[in-house]
Amino acid sequence: VTAMHERSLVASLLEQVSDTAKARGLIGIREVVLDVGEFSGVDATLLAMAFEEMAPAVLGADVKLDLRQTPLTARCRQCNHEFRVERFRFACPQCGGDVDVTGGEEFRLVNLRVAARTSAEEPKHYTE
């Protein structure tokens, strides 16, 4: 059984994909590409399960999910060192300075791969 949080995210995602497809004249969504940060509060496994369960009713049986997990990264305010945050240690490993998170909190629709457009051109990808 999937968690309510991930089901609600997938419901919103499917609405966004449907709206985008209608607005852009896209037909036959084949793949939905998402960036999900490791510090986003989203369980990637539960999200994928919810997508598999819910997406076919909205986008068709052949739709796939390409879920790209992004690492938690930061930049030091003092020395500008960029690094991957390990074990939730939010201090610069070089100088011990305070940091700003630069990645790993996102939950973002990145791309839709489609079969065709309603117009004469037929792009293989749509990127927002």
PDB file of all heavy atoms in Angstrom, residues 11-34:
ATOM      1  N   ALA A  11      -0.947  12.402  -7.842  1.00  0.00           N
ATOM      2  CA  ALA A  11      -2.198  12.980  -8.353  1.00  0.00           C
ATOM      3  C   ALA A  11      -1.948  14.391  -8.885  1.00  0.00           C
ATOM      4  O   ALA A  11      -2.402  14.747  -9.983  1.00  0.00           O
ATOM      5  CB  ALA A  11      -3.265  12.997  -7.266  1.00  0.00           C
ATOM      6  N   SER A  12      -1.202  15.206  -8.150  1.00  0.00           N
ATOM      7  CA  SER A  12      -0.873  16.560  -8.601  1.00  0.00           C
ATOM      8  C   SER A  12       0.012  16.527  -9.840  1.00  0.00           C
ATOM      9  O   SER A  12      -0.176  17.313 -10.773  1.00  0.00           O
ATOM     10  CB  SER A  12      -0.150  17.336  -7.500  1.00  0.00           C
ATOM     11  OG  SER A  12      -1.009  17.542  -6.413  1.00  0.00           O
ATOM     12  N   LEU A  13       0.968  15.623  -9.859  1.00  0.00           N
ATOM     13  CA  LEU A  13       1.859  15.479 -11.007  1.00  0.00           C
ATOM     14  C   LEU A  13       1.072  15.098 -12.258  1.00  0.00           C
ATOM     15  O   LEU A  13       1.273  15.680 -13.335  1.00  0.00           O
ATOM     16  CB  LEU A  13       2.919  14.410 -10.714  1.00  0.00           C
ATOM     17  CG  LEU A  13       3.812  14.005 -11.883  1.00  0.00           C
ATOM     18  CD1 LEU A  13       4.706  15.162 -12.301  1.00  0.00           C
ATOM     19  CD2 LEU A  13       4.632  12.783 -11.513  1.00  0.00           C
ATOM     20  N   LEU A  14       0.169  14.142 -12.127  1.00  0.00           N
ATOM     21  CA  LEU A  14      -0.622  13.704 -13.285  1.00  0.00           C
ATOM     22  C   LEU A  14      -1.507  14.828 -13.809  1.00  0.00           C
ATOM     23  O   LEU A  14      -1.686  14.977 -15.018  1.00  0.00           O
ATOM     24  CB  LEU A  14      -1.459  12.471 -12.925  1.00  0.00           C
ATOM     25  CG  LEU A  14      -0.647  11.205 -12.652  1.00  0.00           C
ATOM     26  CD1 LEU A  14      -1.560  10.088 -12.164  1.00  0.00           C
ATOM     27  CD2 LEU A  14       0.152  10.784 -13.871  1.00  0.00           C
ATOM     28  N   GLU A  15      -2.029  15.650 -12.904  1.00  0.00           N
ATOM     29  CA  GLU A  15      -2.815  16.810 -13.312  1.00  0.00           C
ATOM     30  C   GLU A  15      -1.938  17.801 -14.080  1.00  0.00           C
ATOM     31  O   GLU A  15      -2.328  18.317 -15.120  1.00  0.00           O
ATOM     32  CB  GLU A  15      -3.423  17.475 -12.080  1.00  0.00           C
ATOM     33  CG  GLU A  15      -4.357  18.624 -12.415  1.00  0.00           C
ATOM     34  CD  GLU A  15      -5.008  19.215 -11.167  1.00  0.00           C
ATOM     35  OE1 GLU A  15      -5.172  18.501 -10.157  1.00  0.00           O
ATOM     36  OE2 GLU A  15      -5.338  20.408 -11.226  1.00  0.00           O
ATOM     37  N   GLN A  16      -0.729  18.037 -13.571  1.00  0.00           N
ATOM     38  CA  GLN A  16       0.204  18.950 -14.243  1.00  0.00           C
ATOM     39  C   GLN A  16       0.584  18.414 -15.631  1.00  0.00           C
ATOM     40  O   GLN A  16       0.610  19.159 -16.610  1.00  0.00           O
ATOM     41  CB  GLN A  16       1.460  19.143 -13.401  1.00  0.00           C
ATOM     42  CG  GLN A  16       2.467  20.093 -14.024  1.00  0.00           C
ATOM     43  CD  GLN A  16       3.747  20.232 -13.207  1.00  0.00           C
ATOM     44  OE1 GLN A  16       3.939  19.567 -12.198  1.00  0.00           O
ATOM     45  NE2 GLN A  16       4.620  21.098 -13.658  1.00  0.00           N
ATOM     46  N   VAL A  17       0.873  17.124 -15.722  1.00  0.00           N
ATOM     47  CA  VAL A  17       1.231  16.514 -17.003  1.00  0.00           C
ATOM     48  C   VAL A  17       0.067  16.615 -17.985  1.00  0.00           C
ATOM     49  O   VAL A  17       0.251  16.993 -19.141  1.00  0.00           O
ATOM     50  CB  VAL A  17       1.677  15.047 -16.812  1.00  0.00           C
ATOM     51  CG1 VAL A  17       1.786  14.325 -18.146  1.00  0.00           C
ATOM     52  CG2 VAL A  17       3.000  14.990 -16.056  1.00  0.00           C
ATOM     53  N   SER A  18      -1.140  16.315 -17.531  1.00  0.00           N
ATOM     54  CA  SER A  18      -2.329  16.399 -18.395  1.00  0.00           C
ATOM     55  C   SER A  18      -2.557  17.823 -18.883  1.00  0.00           C
ATOM     56  O   SER A  18      -2.823  18.045 -20.076  1.00  0.00           O
ATOM     57  CB  SER A  18      -3.573  15.910 -17.656  1.00  0.00           C
ATOM     58  OG  SER A  18      -3.462  14.549 -17.366  1.00  0.00           O
ATOM     59  N   ASP A  19      -2.458  18.787 -17.981  1.00  0.00           N
ATOM     60  CA  ASP A  19      -2.638  20.189 -18.356  1.00  0.00           C
ATOM     61  C   ASP A  19      -1.582  20.641 -19.352  1.00  0.00           C
ATOM     62  O   ASP A  19      -1.887  21.333 -20.327  1.00  0.00           O
ATOM     63  CB  ASP A  19      -2.599  21.099 -17.118  1.00  0.00           C
ATOM     64  CG  ASP A  19      -3.806  20.917 -16.199  1.00  0.00           C
ATOM     65  OD1 ASP A  19      -4.787  20.250 -16.612  1.00  0.00           O
ATOM     66  OD2 ASP A  19      -3.755  21.431 -15.061  1.00  0.00           O
ATOM     67  N   THR A  20      -0.344  20.253 -19.120  1.00  0.00           N
ATOM     68  CA  THR A  20       0.751  20.611 -20.026  1.00  0.00           C
ATOM     69  C   THR A  20       0.534  19.984 -21.395  1.00  0.00           C
ATOM     70  O   THR A  20       0.716  20.637 -22.427  1.00  0.00           O
ATOM     71  CB  THR A  20       2.111  20.166 -19.438  1.00  0.00           C
ATOM     72  OG1 THR A  20       2.307  20.831 -18.189  1.00  0.00           O
ATOM     73  CG2 THR A  20       3.258  20.495 -20.372  1.00  0.00           C
ATOM     74  N   ALA A  21       0.143  18.709 -21.415  1.00  0.00           N
ATOM     75  CA  ALA A  21      -0.096  18.021 -22.681  1.00  0.00           C
ATOM     76  C   ALA A  21      -1.203  18.707 -23.482  1.00  0.00           C
ATOM     77  O   ALA A  21      -1.064  18.930 -24.692  1.00  0.00           O
ATOM     78  CB  ALA A  21      -0.443  16.558 -22.430  1.00  0.00           C
ATOM     79  N   LYS A  22      -2.294  19.076 -22.816  1.00  0.00           N
ATOM     80  CA  LYS A  22      -3.390  19.768 -23.503  1.00  0.00           C
ATOM     81  C   LYS A  22      -2.952  21.120 -24.023  1.00  0.00           C
ATOM     82  O   LYS A  22      -3.231  21.478 -25.170  1.00  0.00           O
ATOM     83  CB  LYS A  22      -4.581  19.937 -22.558  1.00  0.00           C
ATOM     84  CG  LYS A  22      -5.343  18.662 -22.312  1.00  0.00           C
ATOM     85  CD  LYS A  22      -6.467  18.875 -21.310  1.00  0.00           C
ATOM     86  CE  LYS A  22      -7.007  17.521 -20.865  1.00  0.00           C
ATOM     87  NZ  LYS A  22      -7.782  17.607 -19.645  1.00  0.00           N
ATOM     88  N   ALA A  23      -2.250  21.891 -23.188  1.00  0.00           N
ATOM     89  CA  ALA A  23      -1.815  23.239 -23.569  1.00  0.00           C
ATOM     90  C   ALA A  23      -0.823  23.208 -24.728  1.00  0.00           C
ATOM     91  O   ALA A  23      -0.825  24.105 -25.571  1.00  0.00           O
ATOM     92  CB  ALA A  23      -1.194  23.949 -22.367  1.00  0.00           C
ATOM     93  N   ARG A  24       0.016  22.188 -24.789  1.00  0.00           N
ATOM     94  CA  ARG A  24       1.061  22.102 -25.819  1.00  0.00           C
ATOM     95  C   ARG A  24       0.663  21.233 -27.007  1.00  0.00           C
ATOM     96  O   ARG A  24       1.452  21.067 -27.926  1.00  0.00           O
ATOM     97  CB  ARG A  24       2.347  21.539 -25.215  1.00  0.00           C
ATOM     98  CG  ARG A  24       2.853  22.314 -24.032  1.00  0.00           C
ATOM     99  CD  ARG A  24       3.614  23.519 -24.470  1.00  0.00           C
ATOM    100  NE  ARG A  24       4.109  24.216 -23.273  1.00  0.00           N
ATOM    101  CZ  ARG A  24       4.912  25.223 -23.309  1.00  0.00           C
ATOM    102  NH1 ARG A  24       5.348  25.680 -24.449  1.00  0.00           N
ATOM    103  NH2 ARG A  24       5.293  25.808 -22.199  1.00  0.00           N
ATOM    104  N   GLY A  25      -0.522  20.637 -26.948  1.00  0.00           N
ATOM    105  CA  GLY A  25      -0.953  19.774 -28.041  1.00  0.00           C
ATOM    106  C   GLY A  25      -0.152  18.489 -28.140  1.00  0.00           C
ATOM    107  O   GLY A  25       0.119  17.999 -29.232  1.00  0.00           O
ATOM    108  N   LEU A  26       0.238  17.944 -27.000  1.00  0.00           N
ATOM    109  CA  LEU A  26       1.033  16.720 -26.980  1.00  0.00           C
ATOM    110  C   LEU A  26       0.117  15.503 -26.903  1.00  0.00           C
ATOM    111  O   LEU A  26      -0.848  15.494 -26.157  1.00  0.00           O
ATOM    112  CB  LEU A  26       1.977  16.727 -25.771  1.00  0.00           C
ATOM    113  CG  LEU A  26       2.896  17.938 -25.640  1.00  0.00           C
ATOM    114  CD1 LEU A  26       3.674  17.861 -24.338  1.00  0.00           C
ATOM    115  CD2 LEU A  26       3.823  18.048 -26.828  1.00  0.00           C
ATOM    116  N   ILE A  27       0.465  14.482 -27.672  1.00  0.00           N
ATOM    117  CA  ILE A  27      -0.336  13.258 -27.721  1.00  0.00           C
ATOM    118  C   ILE A  27       0.542  12.075 -27.332  1.00  0.00           C
ATOM    119  O   ILE A  27       1.676  11.962 -27.789  1.00  0.00           O
ATOM    120  CB  ILE A  27      -0.893  13.015 -29.141  1.00  0.00           C
ATOM    121  CG1 ILE A  27      -1.798  14.175 -29.544  1.00  0.00           C
ATOM    122  CG2 ILE A  27      -1.649  11.701 -29.207  1.00  0.00           C
ATOM    123  CD1 ILE A  27      -2.197  14.129 -31.001  1.00  0.00           C
ATOM    124  N   GLY A  28       0.006  11.195 -26.527  1.00  0.00           N
ATOM    125  CA  GLY A  28       0.714   9.960 -26.200  1.00  0.00           C
ATOM    126  C   GLY A  28       1.936  10.167 -25.333  1.00  0.00           C
ATOM    127  O   GLY A  28       3.057   9.954 -25.771  1.00  0.00           O
ATOM    128  N   ILE A  29       1.730  10.561 -24.089  1.00  0.00           N
ATOM    129  CA  ILE A  29       2.843  10.714 -23.156  1.00  0.00           C
ATOM    130  C   ILE A  29       3.444   9.322 -22.936  1.00  0.00           C
ATOM    131  O   ILE A  29       2.764   8.397 -22.520  1.00  0.00           O
ATOM    132  CB  ILE A  29       2.381  11.297 -21.801  1.00  0.00           C
ATOM    133  CG1 ILE A  29       1.632  12.620 -21.988  1.00  0.00           C
ATOM    134  CG2 ILE A  29       3.560  11.439 -20.845  1.00  0.00           C
ATOM    135  CD1 ILE A  29       2.439  13.750 -22.537  1.00  0.00           C
ATOM    136  N   ARG A  30       4.722   9.191 -23.250  1.00  0.00           N
ATOM    137  CA  ARG A  30       5.407   7.903 -23.112  1.00  0.00           C
ATOM    138  C   ARG A  30       6.230   7.815 -21.831  1.00  0.00           C
ATOM    139  O   ARG A  30       6.393   6.738 -21.272  1.00  0.00           O
ATOM    140  CB  ARG A  30       6.341   7.662 -24.308  1.00  0.00           C
ATOM    141  CG  ARG A  30       5.613   7.549 -25.612  1.00  0.00           C
ATOM    142  CD  ARG A  30       4.870   6.221 -25.683  1.00  0.00           C
ATOM    143  NE  ARG A  30       4.107   6.146 -26.904  1.00  0.00           N
ATOM    144  CZ  ARG A  30       2.786   6.012 -26.962  1.00  0.00           C
ATOM    145  NH1 ARG A  30       2.076   5.952 -25.856  1.00  0.00           N
ATOM    146  NH2 ARG A  30       2.168   5.943 -28.101  1.00  0.00           N
ATOM    147  N   GLU A  31       6.764   8.971 -21.406  1.00  0.00           N
ATOM    148  CA  GLU A  31       7.612   8.952 -20.227  1.00  0.00           C
ATOM    149  C   GLU A  31       7.543  10.306 -19.528  1.00  0.00           C
ATOM    150  O   GLU A  31       7.522  11.347 -20.162  1.00  0.00           O
ATOM    151  CB  GLU A  31       9.057   8.660 -20.632  1.00  0.00           C
ATOM    152  CG  GLU A  31       9.988   8.420 -19.467  1.00  0.00           C
ATOM    153  CD  GLU A  31      11.358   7.950 -19.928  1.00  0.00           C
ATOM    154  OE1 GLU A  31      11.893   8.499 -20.914  1.00  0.00           O
ATOM    155  OE2 GLU A  31      11.874   7.027 -19.287  1.00  0.00           O
ATOM    156  N   VAL A  32       7.512  10.235 -18.205  1.00  0.00           N
ATOM    157  CA  VAL A  32       7.528  11.419 -17.356  1.00  0.00           C
ATOM    158  C   VAL A  32       8.858  11.396 -16.609  1.00  0.00           C
ATOM    159  O   VAL A  32       9.186  10.408 -15.958  1.00  0.00           O
ATOM    160  CB  VAL A  32       6.347  11.397 -16.359  1.00  0.00           C
ATOM    161  CG1 VAL A  32       6.423  12.561 -15.393  1.00  0.00           C
ATOM    162  CG2 VAL A  32       5.017  11.380 -17.110  1.00  0.00           C
ATOM    163  N   VAL A  33       9.631  12.482 -16.749  1.00  0.00           N
ATOM    164  CA  VAL A  33      10.951  12.552 -16.122  1.00  0.00           C
ATOM    165  C   VAL A  33      10.876  13.514 -14.940  1.00  0.00           C
ATOM    166  O   VAL A  33      10.488  14.673 -15.097  1.00  0.00           O
ATOM    167  CB  VAL A  33      12.027  13.028 -17.126  1.00  0.00           C
ATOM    168  CG1 VAL A  33      13.400  13.029 -16.470  1.00  0.00           C
ATOM    169  CG2 VAL A  33      12.020  12.157 -18.379  1.00  0.00           C
ATOM    170  N   LEU A  34      11.242  13.013 -13.772  1.00  0.00           N
ATOM    171  CA  LEU A  34      11.203  13.799 -12.538  1.00  0.00           C
ATOM    172  C   LEU A  34      12.568  13.863 -11.887  1.00  0.00           C
ATOM    173  O   LEU A  34      13.309  12.879 -11.896  1.00  0.00           O
ATOM    174  CB  LEU A  34      10.288  13.129 -11.506  1.00  0.00           C
ATOM    175  CG  LEU A  34       8.807  13.091 -11.687  1.00  0.00           C
ATOM    176  CD1 LEU A  34       8.176  12.393 -10.498  1.00  0.00           C
ATOM    177  CD2 LEU A  34       8.253  14.477 -11.837  1.00  0.00           C
TER     178      LEU A  34
END
